[in-house]
Amino acid sequence: MKKPIILSGMQPTGNLHIGNYLGALKHWVDLQNSGKYDCYFFIADLHSLTGDMTAEERRRQITMLAAEILAAGIDPETSTLFVQSHVPAHTELGWIFDCVTSIAELERMTQFKDKSVSQEKNINAGLFTYPALMAADILLYKPEAVPVGDDQIQHLELTCDIAKKFNKRYGDFFKEPKAVLTKTPRIKSLLEPTSKMSKSKGMGHVIELADEPAVIEKKLKKAVTATEGGEGSLGVENLLLLLENFSTDASYKSFVAAEKDGSIRYGDLKKAVGDAISTHFESFRTRRKELLENHNEIADILINGAHRASEIANKTLADVRKMVGIR
Ligand code: TRP
């Protein structure tokens, strides 16, 4: 029996931090390890062209992200891991979808509106048609479900609309994929616990998966706890949330109890959080280092992944080409 297909992608931006991990990568690994799905995961390098990164930086980020995805537990034998641009069918179906997507729909996308503000000097056409390429990424593989963060829900809804529009115009072909929204803890910045953990504010705000224990300890020492203005308790809440995700139940519960009865010592809490995270990512750090010292291994895995992905993608594209009359 064929297993249902799961597909998801990630842009090659920066070393992953704890927020990225709990928001996406951990779900990928859990879905793979459930054994219930045939998983396709890819690095969305074409989507990253809509941003401001230099070529050299992009190249570095792609390799780095591949190493981190593998080190976190994506097994290239079980799952198919590839780079989006290595499978040209994405670009071709993306163009076909550009031609069934209305401008009005694209104009409603909140990510486009946000990016038009955050990168006002580079509002390129790719940024605008981004969701049509994303729809192609998805529909090429006819997945049952797509694990995404809630910031991508609107794009996934548009993917369903594009599938419907295509079907109406050319004949019933694409199935609408479902979003898999798993419970995702909202990890906050260490220094500004009112906003979410993000590297754009500075390295002190985030814990990266690759951070060495000493670095984690140092960052946590500076994390906001009890201070004026109520921000402090949000900081404590955030540390407890990290503990809940990376430590034992007993340790988490004892700190929650201590917080309630006022006996909590923030130094101890920070130490417990630091130890838990350092331990959790110990084998990640080792494997990541090994992979980054051997780019050939990463390259082999990605080439192999692209072959496997192409088999499905090219078949879908061949059908679509016939349906739209260009073959
Ligand atoms: N847009 C997604 C993001 O920025 C990345 C992405 C591109 C994606 N294509 C996809 C995610 C297809 C899921 C499915 O996070």
Side-chain angles (χ1 to χ4, degrees):
M1 251 263 301
K2 271 214 183 148
K3 293 177 183 174
I5 291 178
I6 289 267
L7 166 127
S8 195
M10 220 186 267
Q11 283 204 47
T13 43
N15 297 21
L16 295 177
H17 59 68
I18 302 279
N20 305 135
Y21 174 74
L22 293 174
L25 188 51
K26 180 174 186 293
H27 299 314
W28 291 13
V29 176
D30 290 345
L31 286 163
Q32 166 194 275
N33 292 346
S34 76
K36 288 194 240 160
Y37 306 101
D38 189 7
C39 299
Y40 289 78
F41 299 120
F42 67 94
I43 296 173
D45 61 341
L46 294 171
H47 278 107
S48 85
L49 291 170
T50 63
D52 290 323
M53 223 185 270
T54 63
E56 196 188 331
E57 181 61 5
R58 180 169 299 108
R59 204 172 350 255
R60 206 176 67 80
Q61 297 294 355
I62 292 167
T63 308
M64 176 89 72
L65 181 57
E68 297 205 334
I69 291 173
L70 294 165
I74 291 301
D75 172 6
E77 301 294 321
T78 316
S79 300
T80 300
L81 176 66
F82 65 102
V83 176
Q84 182 186 30
S85 71
H86 296 181
V87 183
H90 288 245
T91 326
E92 193 170 337
L93 186 60
W95 172 253
I96 294 173
F97 283 168
D98 276 346
C99 302
V100 296
T101 309
S102 77
I103 287 183
E105 277 182 304
L106 292 171
E107 277 170 345
R108 282 209 309 273
M109 297 295 115
T110 55
Q111 181 171 304
F112 174 68
K113 290 188 235 179
D114 293 346
K115 291 256 164 101
S116 302
V117 176
S118 68
Q119 60 179 68
E120 59 175 352
K121 294 217 169 68
N122 181 14
I123 309 176
N124 56 81
L127 207 54
F128 187 60
T129 59
Y130 181 117
L133 179 60
M134 179 160 164
D137 298 336
I138 296 171
L139 294 173
L140 273 176
Y141 300 88
K142 304 189 182 150
E144 179 81 16
V146 183
V148 283
D150 48 14
D151 63 323
Q152 296 297 316
I153 297 283
Q154 203 187 20
H155 289 163
L156 205 63
E157 284 166 3
L158 182 55
T159 297
C160 292
D161 290 340
I162 290 174
K164 274 191 277 197
K165 255 208 172 138
F166 180 95
N167 290 351
K168 194 160 162 234
R169 186 150 162 200
Y170 294 110
D172 212 19
F173 185 67
F174 290 116
K175 221 174 58 184
E176 292 172 44
K178 289 194 286 281
V180 197
L181 274 177
T182 7
K183 199 176 140 255
T184 298
R186 304 201 172 274
I187 305 297
K188 306 290 192 190
S189 147
L190 299 180
L191 300 176
E192 246 179 70
T194 41
S195 48
K196 75 172 186 188
M197 185 175 278
S198 153
K199 246 184 285 207
S200 55
K201 297 190 180 264
M203 295 314 287
H205 291 256
V206 307
I207 296 176
E208 296 191 340
L209 308 193
D211 279 347
E212 292 295 335
V215 175
I216 298 177
E217 194 187 318
K218 213 166 122 197
K219 287 180 175 174
L220 282 167
K221 276 215 175 107
K222 297 207 177 118
V224 176
T225 45
T227 42
E228 61 293 340
E231 275 217 355
S233 64
L234 283 177
V236 174
E237 230 171 77
N238 193 39
L239 293 174
L240 287 170
L241 188 61
L242 288 172
L243 201 61
E244 186 181 10
N245 277 281
F246 294 107
S247 183
T248 59
D249 210 30
S251 158
Y252 168 67
K253 283 191 175 136
S254 83
F255 277 101
V256 170
E259 160 74 350
K260 280 218 178 89
D261 71 18
S263 69
I264 193 164
R265 289 178 23 196
Y266 296 135
D268 294 349
L269 172 61
K270 289 178 172 186
K271 177 146 189 350
V273 171
D275 289 348
I277 294 176
S278 299
T279 310
H280 190 273
F281 291 104
E282 199 175 320
S283 59
F284 170 90
R285 290 191 300 272
T286 312
R287 180 76 182 120
R288 174 184 181 274
K289 215 185 261 158
E290 267 171 26
L291 283 159
L292 289 175
E293 277 161 12
N294 185 1
H295 284 200
N296 287 344
E297 186 182 351
I298 301 178
D300 284 347
I301 290 170
L302 295 176
I303 289 168
N304 196 7
H307 276 301
R308 274 166 28 194
S310 296
E311 268 174 41
I312 304 202
N314 290 345
K315 213 171 148 291
T316 306
L317 183 63
D319 290 341
V320 169
R321 291 185 58 126
K322 255 185 257 171
M323 292 181 79
V324 304
I326 57 172
R327 200 219 66 155

